Amino acid sequence: MMSHNGSVPPIFVPPGYAPQVIEDNGVQRVVVLPQTSEFPPGNQAVLQQPPPPPLPGFIPLPTMIPSSPHRLYSPITGSGDTTTQYIPQYLITQLYGDSDAVSTHGRSTFRDERSSKTHERLQKKLKDRHGTQNDKLESPSSSPQKCLSLTKGYNGFATGEESTDISTRHARSNLLGERKGCSVQVEEKDEETKALEVLLSNISKPTMEDIQARTAALTWSPPCGMIRGGKDKTEVYVYELLISNCGKDGKYTSVYIGEKTHFTINDLRPATDYHARVLAKCNCIKGSPSEAESFTTMSCEPDTPDSPRIIHRTKNSLTLQWTAPCVNGSKINNYLLEWDKGNGNGEFEQCYYGQQKQYRITKLAPAMGFTFRLAAKNDMGTSGFSEEVLYHTAGTAPATPSSPVLLEAGVTWLSLQWARPSGMPADEELTYILEMEDENLGQGFEPKYRGDELAYTVKNLKRSKKYKFRVIAYNSEGKSNPSDVAIFTTWPDKPGAPLKPTIKGKIHARSMEICWEPPTDNGGAAITKYILEISEGLNGNQWDMIYSGAATEHSCGHLNPGCFYRLRVSCVGEGGQSVASDSLLVQTPPMLPGPCQPPRLQGRPRSREIALRWGLPLADNGSSIISYSLEMSTGTDEPREVYCGPDEECTVNNLLPGTTYSFQLRAANAAGFGPYSEKCQHTTAPGPPDQCRPPEVTYRSATCAVIFWEVPASNGVDITEYRLQWGTAEGGMHICYCGPGLSYEIKGLLPATLYYAKVQAVNAAGAGPFSEVAVCLTPRSVPAMVTCLREDKVENPLYSPSTCLAISWEKPCDHGSEITGYTIDYGEKQPITVGKVASCIVGNLLPDTTYRIRIQALNSLGAGPFSNTVKLKTKPLPPDPPRLECSAYGSQTLRLKWGEGIVRALSDSTQYHLLMDDKTGRITSIYRGSCHTYKVTRLSESTSYTFYIQACNEAGEGPLSQGYVFSTTKSVPAALKPPKIERVNDHTCEITWEMLQPMKGDPVVYSLQAMMGKDSEFRQIYKGPDWSFRYSGLQMNCESRFRVCAIRQCRDSAGNRDLIGPYSATVLFIPQKTETTIGKDTQLETTQWTLSDEQCATVILLLFAVFSVVVTFIIQYFVIK
C-alpha cells in the first residue's frame, strides 16, 4: 500500500505477520512481513524462514524486491505516528490487500504481544547501529530535489539509475552488515528461488486468436505478479508452449520456446481436438504449467488421394479403382477422375465425376497408353490431384525378328546384333531376349540377354567353340516366335605352358636327352612348333634357344661335366606363343653310390604297417646321398617301390595283416641310384577283414528283394558276422541285418525306387571297412492310389452345374511307368476314361442328383487301386425368365415390373438381370438384383426402347427373355419465371413473361390467368403465342394476382393435343390512386409490391437458420464451456 499525503491507512495483519512502513522519496508504503523469533543484526535480511503458501485474497509479489535498500519503518501506532529509523529490505513474500478489521481512528485493530515485542527489539537495534549516521544521511522530506519520480518505477520502487543513486547513498550503512550477513545469503537465495517459482507458476492459460484447419495462433500473458510488482530489466523470461491431442491429461509436446508471448502453431491435423498449456522460465528456474486451453481445428479439403490402380484391361477398355484419402473432418462427396485421352500432351479432361471408387473407360484403341489422375472433393473444397499414372490397353504380340548377325568375335566373347521386327510401330517399346545353346551342355537354349537394345556382347564363352543363337521379341501382349538359329565360333587362345621338360635316358658328362609333353591346354588349336631354351648356372638370366621344331624331344650336346643347367620349353599355336614351362635343373653326373645295409625293424610290427630304419651306404662314390629307394614284395609278386626320399626311416602303410613281406634298399646321389641291398623279411600282425565287394541284388517282386555278398579276406582271423546297411538315401542308410549269413531278403519296398546297400565283415580283430555302395532300382508297378479327389470350380459360361460336375485330383506316384490315363466311376453307368489330366468335367447328369465318384490311375502295367469315394451333387436347373411389364410411363423415365405369377415358385436367392438395347445393336446391363421393379432414367422423350430380362439363382443364369418394347411420352414445357407487371394507368397494366423455343418442332403458346379481389379461382385472360399482354380490368386498391404457363401443341397420328406445363409463381399487384401535389402538375404513382409465396418461404427459412446458429453458439459458449 502506498500513501502520498503522509498518513498511513490502517491494514489487516494476519497472525504471525507484522506491518512495516517504507519511505522512498516522500512516498510511504506499508509492507506486511512474517514475524520471527529473532531479528538479524545490521543490514541482514529481515526474513529467513521460507514464506507460507499463498492464501486466498493475498497476492505473492516476489518481484517487489528492490535493488537497493529502502527505508523500513516500525509498526504503525497511530495516524502520523512514524519513526525515522529504517531497515534495508531485500525480500517481501506476501502482501495482504484485505482490510476487514480497521478502526475508525486509522489504527490497526490486531496487535498481539509477540509482534509488539519483536518490533520494539528491532527498533532498538536499529537505533544503536545507525545512530551515528543519521546526521550524515539526508531526510527524504528535507531534500525534495533528490526525490525520484513515481512514474519511473513499478509500484513505487525505483529502477535503473534511481536505484543506483539510492544504493550509493546507503552504501556505508550496508557495509557494516556484509560480514555478518554472509551466513544468511544462501537461505535468502533459496527464498528468492521459491518465490520466483511461485511467480512463474502464477501464469494464466493461453488464449486463441485465430484457428484454421492446420494452424492456430495463441497468445498468453506474463505471470500476474510480474505485471503488478514490476520486472527487473536484467532478467529474461522464457516461455514454453505445450500442446496435446490425446486429451487434457494426455502427453504434451513442446512446440515453442522463446521470449515472445504469442506463437502460431503449424502442421496441425484438421478437425482435431487439441489442448495447449504454457509455462514460464527465468534464470534456469521453471514454473508449473498453466491450465489447459482446448481448441478444435477447422475442417478442410481432403488429402491428396493415391493414384488410381488398374484392376482389369482389355483391348478397348480399362477398369480403374481407387481408395478414399483422409477426409479432414468433412465427408467426401465426389471423386474427379481426369485423363489425357491418350494424347500425351499433358492436357487433362474430366473422365468421371461421382461417389463411386471404381470406373470403367470403354471405346478405347488397342495398344495405346492413357494417363490418369484423381482428386477428391468435400464440402470444404477439392484436394490436389494424385500422381499421374500411365496405363495401356491390350495390343498384339510382335512379329518374328530376323536372326542375329556377328559384329566381332574374340577368344571368350561374341558381339552380336539384330534388327527390329518388321511391321511394328517405331514408337512402340519392345524387349528382346537373346538365347544361346551350348551343345556340349545339352540344356537347350538359355537366355543370355533381356533388354531393349539391338546389340549385345556375350561373354564368358569357351575358346574355339561353336554356339547357336536366336532372338525373341516381346511386348506387353506376348512374345514373338524365335528367330532362325545362327551359329558362330569363338577364336582360339594362346596355348598353355608345356609340362616341365624331363631327362630321357642317362645323363652323360657332355650330353643328355631332353623330352617334354604337349601342354594340357592347346588354346583350341593344334601346336605348330616347340622352342627349347637352356641357361647355364644356378641363377643365370641369359637363355639361349637350342631347338625349334615340332618334335617333343631333343639331344643336348657340348655340355660341361659337373655343371648345373636349367632347361625350359614353350610352344607356338594359332593363338600365339605360350609362356615358358617350369625350368628343369640338371647336373652332369658323378659315379653311382655303393649298396646299402638291409633295412631293420623299428618297434613291433602292426597289422597294417611296418616301421623300418636304415643307415648310410658303405660308399657314396664321391657324391653325397640325396635319396633312398625302398622296394617291397610278397612271395612271387614283383617288387614295388614304397618309399623314395632323403630320410633314413620309413613307415610302410596299407599292408595286409598276418602277411610276410620282403624289403630291399638302395641309395642315390647326384649320379643316380646304386645297387639294391640284400632282401630282408618281416611279418605284419593279424587285423580286421578286408573290404567286401559291393553286394548283389535280385528282385522277387516290385516290393521284395534278396541281397547277396561274397566272403572277403579274413586277414589271419576267421570272420564271425556280416553287417548289412540299407536305405533310400546314401547318407541315411541303417543296419537291417547282422549275422553270419551271406544273403538277406528285404520286403515292403516301393516300386521304381532307388535303394542303396553296403556290407561289412567283422572278426576278432575288429570290423573291416564297408564295401562300396551298391545302387539298385526296384521294378516298375501299377500306379498308386489317387488322393485329394474334390469338386472343382469352373469359370466358364458354357459350364452347367445342373447337368455337369467338375472334379480335380492330384497326380499319384506312377511307380516307374508313366500314367497314361484315369478311369472315373460315378455310379451305375459305364465308367469313363480320360487322358493325362488332373481335372475333368462329367456331363450328361441329372439335375439335383447325388453321385458317388471314385477314380483310379492307369499306366502300361495296369490299373492302380481306386481312390476314396466322394459324394457330389448336381444343382437344380436355372429358372425361366419372368414377364416384363411397364407400370408407369414418363418423358425420360420408364418404371418396369416383373415376376407376377412366378415369384412364389422361385426361392429367395433368385436374382434378376435387366438388359436394354441401346439402338446401336449392343445390349447393355442396367440392373442386377432381387427387386421386382426398376425405374429406367435418362431416356429420350417419345422414343421406343427394347428390354430383356433373365432370372438367376445358385444353379446359374436362366435363358434370356424375348424383347419387350416400351416408349416414352413427350415432355411438358418447363415452368416459367414469375411474370413482370408494369402499370400503364389506374386500370391498365402490361404483363410480360419469358419466351420458350419450340420443342422438337412443336409450337409453344402461353396461358395467362388472373384472380381479382376476393375471387377464389384463377380465370384465363389470354392464350396465344405472344410473350406479353395488356390487361385493362384493374380495380383501384384491390389485389390482383397473375400467373402464366407454357402449352406445347403436339401433332401426331392420334391428332392434335396440348401438353400444359406447370404454372409460374403467383405475382401480386395492387394499384393505388394517384395523388396530385398542390402547385404542381406532377402525379405521384404508388405501387405496392409484396413477396410471392416462394419468396416468403425462403425468407422464413433463412430466419430460422440464423436463429438456429445463434442458439447453437449460446449453448456451446455458456453451457458446454
Side-chain angles (χ1 to χ4, degrees):
M1 300 180 61
M2 296 186 299
S3 176
H4 297 276
N5 55 6
S7 62
V8 179
I11 62 172
F12 170 75
V13 180
Y17 288 81
Q20 296 292 335
V21 178
I22 298 177
E23 180 177 349
D24 186 8
N25 297 332
V27 179
Q28 296 180 354
R29 302 180 188 83
V30 179
V31 181
V32 179
L33 300 177
Q35 191 172 2
T36 57
S37 58
E38 292 183 1
F39 282 86
N43 61 344
Q44 297 180 4
V46 177
L47 302 179
Q48 298 182 5
Q49 301 297 328
L55 298 176
F58 299 101
I59 304 175
L61 294 175
T63 57
M64 293 178 61
I65 303 173
S67 58
S68 61
H70 297 273
R71 304 197 176 200
L72 184 63
Y73 292 84
S74 60
I76 303 171
T77 58
S79 177
D81 185 11
T82 60
T83 64
T84 59
Q85 304 297 329
Y86 70 94
I87 302 174
Q89 175 66 22
Y90 294 95
L91 179 62
I92 301 172
T93 58
Q94 301 289 341
L95 177 64
Y96 291 82
D98 295 340
S99 56
D100 295 337
V102 180
S103 66
T104 58
H105 301 285
R107 299 176 179 268
S108 175
T109 59
F110 179 81
R111 176 68 58 86
D112 57 359
E113 182 180 1
R114 181 180 178 184
S115 61
S116 300
K117 292 180 179 181
T118 301
H119 287 287
E120 290 177 358
R121 189 164 52 251
L122 177 60
Q123 292 176 4
K124 182 179 180 181
K125 291 181 179 180
L126 292 175
K127 290 179 180 180
D128 295 340
R129 184 178 302 127
H130 302 291
T132 59
Q133 300 177 6
N134 291 335
D135 298 336
K136 299 180 181 179
L137 297 177
E138 297 178 356
S139 175
S141 59
S142 62
S143 19
Q145 67 277 8
K146 295 185 179 180
C147 295
L148 302 179
S149 175
L150 295 177
T151 60
K152 296 184 180 180
Y154 296 95
N155 293 340
F157 290 101
T159 59
E161 298 179 356
E162 291 84 358
S163 63
T164 305
D165 184 27
I166 297 176
S167 300
T168 304
R169 288 185 291 151
H170 300 290
R172 295 182 180 180
S173 61
N174 293 338
L175 185 60
L176 298 176
E178 287 182 356
R179 295 181 181 178
K180 297 181 180 180
C182 293
S183 60
V184 193
Q185 288 181 359
V186 176
E187 296 184 2
E188 291 177 356
K189 293 182 179 178
D190 293 340
E191 295 295 331
E192 288 187 23
T193 301
K194 293 181 180 180
L196 185 57
E197 288 180 355
V198 173
L199 165 68
L200 297 177
S201 300
N202 193 18
I203 187 170
S204 60
K205 62 181 180 180
T207 58
M208 309 306 301
E209 293 292 337
D210 184 20
I211 302 177
Q212 300 297 329
R214 300 185 185 274
T215 62
L218 291 87
T219 60
W220 56 89
S221 301
C224 60
M226 181 182 68
I227 299 175
R228 297 181 183 179
K231 171 184 172 183
D232 190 354
K233 295 183 179 179
T234 61
E235 296 177 348
V236 177
Y237 287 86
V238 179
Y239 304 95
E240 182 176 3
L241 182 62
L242 310 171
I243 66 169
S244 171
N245 60 352
C246 304
K248 182 177 181 180
D249 299 327
K251 181 179 179 181
Y252 283 79
T253 304
S254 175
V255 296
Y256 169 74
I257 297 177
E259 300 179 11
K260 297 181 179 179
T261 57
H262 59 87
F263 182 71
T264 300
I265 308 175
N266 299 317
D267 299 329
L268 299 179
R269 290 185 294 183
T272 305
D273 294 331
Y274 286 93
H275 292 78
R277 306 171 71 178
V278 65
L279 59 86
K281 304 177 184 178
C282 180
N283 296 333
C284 301
I285 300 175
K286 182 188 295 185
S288 301
S290 67
E291 296 182 3
E293 173 68 15
S294 62
F295 65 95
T296 303
T297 54
M298 306 294 290
S299 302
C300 69
E301 67 276 1
D303 289 346
T304 301
D306 294 333
S307 301
R309 63 180 185 276
I310 187 168
I311 61 175
H312 181 69
R313 80 173 75 208
T314 63
K315 290 184 177 181
N316 304 106
S317 66
L318 292 173
T319 303
L320 303 181
Q321 192 178 51
W322 54 87
T323 57
C326 182
V327 298
N328 290 335
S330 178
K331 181 180 178 183
I332 293 178
N333 299 330
N334 293 286
Y335 293 93
L336 175 60
L337 179 65
E338 293 188 351
W339 67 330
D340 64 347
K341 293 189 176 182
N343 299 327
N345 54 6
E347 297 181 0
F348 289 83
E349 295 183 9
Q350 178 176 322
C351 177
Y352 168 75
Y353 183 82
Q355 299 180 357
Q356 300 298 325
K357 299 179 183 178
Q358 177 176 316
Y359 185 68
R360 181 184 181 197
I361 305 97
T362 58
K363 297 181 181 180
L364 304 179
M368 188 172 180
F370 300 88
T371 304
F372 297 90
R373 63 182 184 180
L374 180 68
K377 182 178 181 182
N378 61 7
D379 294 335
M380 308 305 298
T382 304
S383 70
F385 283 97
S386 65
E387 294 184 2
E388 299 176 3
V389 290
L390 178 64
Y391 297 123
H392 291 79
T393 53
T396 58
T400 303
S402 58
S403 24
V405 295
L406 180 65
L407 294 179
E408 191 177 356
V411 177
T412 59
W413 54 271
L414 292 172
S415 182
L416 306 179
Q417 186 180 17
W418 55 91
R420 185 181 179 89
S422 59
M424 299 303 296
D427 58 345
E428 182 174 359
E429 295 183 0
L430 295 180
T431 305
Y432 303 94
I433 302 175
L434 178 63
E435 295 183 343
M436 184 189 75
E437 179 184 12
D438 189 352
E439 295 182 351
N440 295 338
L441 298 179
Q443 296 179 355
F445 283 92
E446 295 181 348
K448 288 295 182 181
Y449 168 74
R450 185 187 302 270
D452 55 358
E453 299 294 336
L454 296 176
Y456 182 71
T457 300
V458 185
K459 300 179 181 179
N460 301 325
L461 303 179
K462 296 182 179 179
R463 62 196 174 193
S464 188
K465 189 174 181 181
K466 294 182 179 180
Y467 293 93
K468 295 181 179 180
F469 295 92
R470 65 182 185 183
V471 176
I472 300 174
Y474 74 93
N475 56 12
S476 59
E477 299 306 319
K479 295 182 179 180
S480 69
N481 294 326
S483 66
D484 296 336
V485 177
I487 302 176
F488 305 109
T489 306
T490 56
W491 286 357
D493 197 4
K494 293 180 180 181
L499 299 180
K500 182 179 180 180
T502 58
I503 302 297
K504 182 179 181 181
K506 185 179 180 181
I507 302 177
H508 299 282
R510 292 187 177 274
S511 65
M512 58 182 169
E513 291 288 335
I514 303 296
C515 64
W516 56 87
E517 296 292 335
T520 56
D521 182 11
N522 60 4
I527 303 299
T528 58
K529 65 177 180 179
Y530 296 94
I531 299 175
L532 180 64
E533 297 176 310
I534 190 170
S535 177
E536 185 176 356
L538 292 174
N539 298 318
N541 294 326
Q542 182 180 359
W543 294 86
D544 299 325
M545 184 178 67
I546 60 175
Y547 172 75
S548 176
T552 57
E553 60 181 21
H554 179 67
S555 179
C556 300
H558 307 286
L559 303 178
N560 297 322
C563 186
F564 286 95
Y565 291 93
R566 291 184 298 155
L567 295 100
R568 66 182 185 183
V569 65
S570 61
C571 57
V572 179
E574 294 182 9
Q577 183 178 351
S578 71
V579 297
S581 67
D582 296 337
S583 61
L584 172 66
L585 180 65
V586 295
Q587 184 184 17
T588 52
M591 295 294 292
L592 298 177
C596 300
Q597 294 292 331
R600 59 185 182 274
L601 283 174
Q602 185 178 3
R604 296 181 60 183
R606 298 183 180 181
S607 60
R608 294 287 181 178
E609 62 182 28
I610 294 177
L612 301 177
R613 188 178 181 84
W614 57 85
L616 295 173
L618 299 178
D620 57 8
N621 293 328
S623 179
S624 59
I625 303 299
I626 59 175
S627 179
Y628 296 93
S629 176
L630 179 64
E631 289 188 351
M632 181 188 69
S633 62
T634 58
T636 59
D637 295 342
E638 291 292 331
R640 61 185 180 89
E641 187 179 51
V642 296
Y643 174 75
C644 182
D647 296 334
E648 295 181 359
E649 60 183 5
C650 174
T651 300
V652 184
N653 300 317
N654 299 326
L655 302 180
L656 297 177
T659 304
T660 301
Y661 292 92
S662 297
F663 298 94
Q664 58 182 359
L665 180 70
R666 63 176 179 174
N669 60 7
F673 283 97
Y676 282 102
S677 66
E678 295 181 0
K679 290 185 178 182
C680 63
Q681 293 183 349
H682 302 284
T683 303
T684 58
D690 287 348
Q691 183 182 19
C692 299
R693 292 185 178 181
E696 298 180 358
V697 182
T698 59
Y699 300 99
R700 294 185 177 179
S701 65
T703 59
C704 181
V706 180
I707 300 98
F708 300 90
W709 57 88
E710 297 179 357
V711 179
S714 62
N715 294 330
V717 183
D718 294 338
I719 297 174
T720 57
E721 66 178 11
Y722 297 93
R723 298 172 183 174
L724 177 64
Q725 285 191 355
W726 179 269
T728 57
E730 187 172 356
M733 294 186 290
H734 61 279
I735 297 177
C736 63
Y737 171 73
C738 185
L742 298 176
S743 63
Y744 180 70
E745 182 179 0
I746 298 179
K747 299 180 180 179
L749 305 179
L750 298 176
T753 305
L754 283 175
Y755 287 94
Y756 301 87
K758 60 182 180 180
V759 68
Q760 178 189 45
V762 182
N763 62 7
F770 275 98
S771 66
E772 296 181 357
V773 177
V775 182
C776 53
L777 179 66
T778 54
R780 299 178 299 171
S781 180
V782 296
M785 184 178 66
V786 177
T787 59
C788 297
L789 178 61
R790 59 188 178 274
E791 185 177 2
D792 199 4
K793 294 183 179 180
V794 178
E795 299 293 339
N796 190 346
L798 301 178
Y799 174 74
S800 176
S802 302
T803 58
C804 300
L805 285 175
I807 58 175
S808 62
W809 59 89
E810 293 184 1
K811 180 182 178 181
C813 181
D814 57 5
H815 287 169
S817 179
E818 185 180 3
I819 294 176
T820 59
Y822 298 89
T823 300
I824 302 174
D825 182 14
Y826 59 95
E828 300 176 355
K829 293 185 179 181
Q830 185 70 20
I832 60 176
T833 302
V834 297
K836 296 185 291 183
V837 296
S839 61
C840 178
I841 297 178
V842 182
N844 300 325
L845 303 178
L846 298 177
D848 199 15
T849 305
T850 302
Y851 290 91
R852 299 169 61 89
I853 300 177
R854 59 179 183 172
I855 189 172
Q856 64 179 170
L858 308 174
N859 62 6
S860 59
L861 301 178
F866 275 101
S867 66
N868 296 329
T869 303
V870 177
K871 291 183 179 181
L872 301 177
K873 185 178 181 181
T874 57
K875 295 183 179 181
L877 291 174
D880 293 333
R883 178 179 178 80
L884 187 63
E885 297 179 355
C886 183
S887 60
Y889 295 87
S891 59
Q892 295 181 346
T893 60
L894 291 174
R895 178 172 291 278
L896 306 179
K897 68 175 183 177
W898 58 85
E900 295 182 359
I902 303 179
V903 179
R904 300 176 181 176
L906 299 177
S907 62
D908 295 336
S909 62
T910 302
Q911 301 285 325
Y912 299 98
H913 188 193
L914 185 62
L915 304 97
M916 183 180 73
D917 190 349
D918 60 356
K919 299 302 181 181
T920 60
R922 184 179 64 178
I923 299 177
T924 59
S925 175
I926 60 175
Y927 172 74
R928 182 185 293 272
S930 58
C931 296
H932 294 267
T933 60
Y934 181 74
K935 184 178 182 181
V936 186
T937 59
R938 298 182 181 179
L939 303 179
S940 300
E941 64 172 337
S942 187
T943 306
S944 297
Y945 294 91
T946 304
F947 298 91
Y948 305 88
I949 193 171
Q950 64 177 164
C952 312
N953 59 8
E954 61 180 4
E957 295 183 353
L960 199 65
S961 69
Q962 62 179 357
Y964 295 90
V965 180
F966 303 107
S967 301
T968 56
T969 62
K970 290 188 176 183
S971 61
V972 298
L976 301 178
K977 295 181 180 180
K980 298 180 180 179
I981 304 175
E982 294 183 1
R983 180 177 178 181
V984 179
N985 51 41
D986 292 344
H987 301 282
T988 305
C989 65
E990 186 173 357
I991 307 168
T992 59
W993 53 87
E994 65 175 325
M995 184 177 180
L996 299 180
Q997 298 296 329
M999 303 177 65
K1000 290 190 175 182
D1002 294 339
V1004 177
V1005 297
Y1006 307 94
S1007 175
L1008 178 64
Q1009 292 185 350
M1011 183 170 64
M1012 303 298 176
K1014 297 181 180 180
D1015 295 344
S1016 60
E1017 294 182 356
F1018 281 92
R1019 59 185 180 84
Q1020 180 174 305
I1021 60 176
Y1022 171 76
K1023 181 178 181 183
D1026 295 335
W1027 51 275
S1028 65
F1029 178 72
R1030 178 168 292 189
Y1031 180 66
S1032 60
L1034 297 178
Q1035 299 178 8
M1036 299 304 298
N1037 298 326
C1038 182
E1039 293 182 353
S1040 300
R1041 290 177 172 84
F1042 300 92
R1043 66 179 182 179
V1044 67
C1045 71
I1047 302 175
R1048 179 180 180 179
Q1049 295 180 343
C1050 302
R1051 299 183 181 87
D1052 49 20
S1053 59
N1056 298 334
R1057 58 192 179 94
D1058 293 343
L1059 296 179
I1060 302 175
Y1063 279 94
S1064 66
T1066 302
V1067 178
L1068 178 63
F1069 181 73
I1070 303 176
Q1072 295 182 357
K1073 266 191 175 184
T1074 303
E1075 297 181 0
T1076 304
T1077 305
I1078 301 176
K1080 294 184 181 180
D1081 298 334
T1082 306
Q1083 294 183 352
L1084 179 63
E1085 298 181 359
T1086 303
T1087 304
Q1088 182 177 358
W1089 294 89
T1090 60
L1091 298 176
S1092 62
D1093 296 340
E1094 291 79 359
Q1095 293 172 342
C1096 291
T1098 304
V1099 172
I1100 294 173
L1101 183 61
L1102 291 175
L1103 293 176
F1104 179 75
V1106 172
F1107 178 75
S1108 301
V1109 171
V1110 172
V1111 171
T1112 304
F1113 175 77
I1114 293 173
I1115 294 175
Q1116 176 74 17
Y1117 188 79
F1118 292 100
V1119 179
I1120 298 179
K1121 293 186 177 181

Short mmCIF file of all heavy atoms in Angstrom, two decimals, residues 135 182 328 531 595 641 923 937 939:
data_model
loop_
_atom_site.label_atom_id
_atom_site.label_comp_id
_atom_site.label_asym_id
_atom_site.label_seq_id
_atom_site.Cartn_x
_atom_site.Cartn_y
_atom_site.Cartn_z
N ASP A 135 23.03 11.99 11.10
CA ASP A 135 23.34 13.36 10.72
C ASP A 135 23.85 13.46 9.30
O ASP A 135 23.73 14.49 8.65
CB ASP A 135 24.37 13.95 11.71
CG ASP A 135 23.82 14.01 13.11
OD1 ASP A 135 22.56 14.05 13.23
OD2 ASP A 135 24.62 13.99 14.04
N CYS A 182 26.80 -12.93 5.64
CA CYS A 182 27.23 -13.97 4.67
C CYS A 182 26.57 -15.30 4.94
O CYS A 182 26.26 -16.06 4.02
CB CYS A 182 28.76 -14.13 4.73
SG CYS A 182 29.65 -12.67 4.14
N ASN A 328 -10.39 -35.25 -43.53
CA ASN A 328 -10.08 -33.99 -42.83
C ASN A 328 -11.33 -33.32 -42.27
O ASN A 328 -11.53 -32.12 -42.38
CB ASN A 328 -9.34 -33.03 -43.76
CG ASN A 328 -7.93 -33.50 -44.06
OD1 ASN A 328 -7.36 -34.25 -43.26
ND2 ASN A 328 -7.38 -33.09 -45.17
N ILE A 531 59.80 -74.58 -78.71
CA ILE A 531 61.05 -73.83 -78.58
C ILE A 531 61.68 -74.24 -77.27
O ILE A 531 61.09 -74.06 -76.20
CB ILE A 531 60.81 -72.32 -78.62
CG1 ILE A 531 60.18 -71.91 -79.95
CG2 ILE A 531 62.10 -71.57 -78.38
CD1 ILE A 531 59.79 -70.45 -80.02
N PRO A 595 76.14 -100.26 -52.40
CA PRO A 595 74.94 -100.87 -51.82
C PRO A 595 74.77 -100.49 -50.36
O PRO A 595 75.72 -100.17 -49.67
CB PRO A 595 75.18 -102.36 -52.00
CG PRO A 595 76.66 -102.51 -52.05
CD PRO A 595 77.20 -101.28 -52.70
N GLU A 641 58.16 -100.04 -55.42
CA GLU A 641 58.76 -99.03 -54.57
C GLU A 641 57.71 -98.47 -53.61
O GLU A 641 56.64 -98.05 -54.02
CB GLU A 641 59.34 -97.89 -55.42
CG GLU A 641 60.13 -96.88 -54.62
CD GLU A 641 60.70 -95.78 -55.51
OE1 GLU A 641 59.90 -95.19 -56.29
OE2 GLU A 641 61.89 -95.52 -55.45
N ILE A 923 -26.42 -54.75 -76.45
CA ILE A 923 -27.30 -54.92 -75.29
C ILE A 923 -26.47 -54.70 -74.04
O ILE A 923 -25.45 -55.38 -73.83
CB ILE A 923 -27.95 -56.33 -75.29
CG1 ILE A 923 -28.81 -56.51 -76.55
CG2 ILE A 923 -28.78 -56.52 -74.04
CD1 ILE A 923 -29.43 -57.88 -76.67
N THR A 937 -34.01 -44.39 -66.05
CA THR A 937 -33.94 -42.94 -66.17
C THR A 937 -33.01 -42.55 -67.31
O THR A 937 -32.42 -43.40 -67.97
CB THR A 937 -33.44 -42.34 -64.84
OG1 THR A 937 -32.15 -42.87 -64.55
CG2 THR A 937 -34.38 -42.67 -63.70
N LEU A 939 -33.69 -41.20 -70.22
CA LEU A 939 -34.15 -41.62 -71.53
C LEU A 939 -34.57 -40.40 -72.35
O LEU A 939 -34.77 -39.30 -71.81
CB LEU A 939 -35.33 -42.59 -71.40
CG LEU A 939 -35.06 -43.86 -70.56
CD1 LEU A 939 -36.31 -44.71 -70.48
CD2 LEU A 939 -33.91 -44.67 -71.16
#
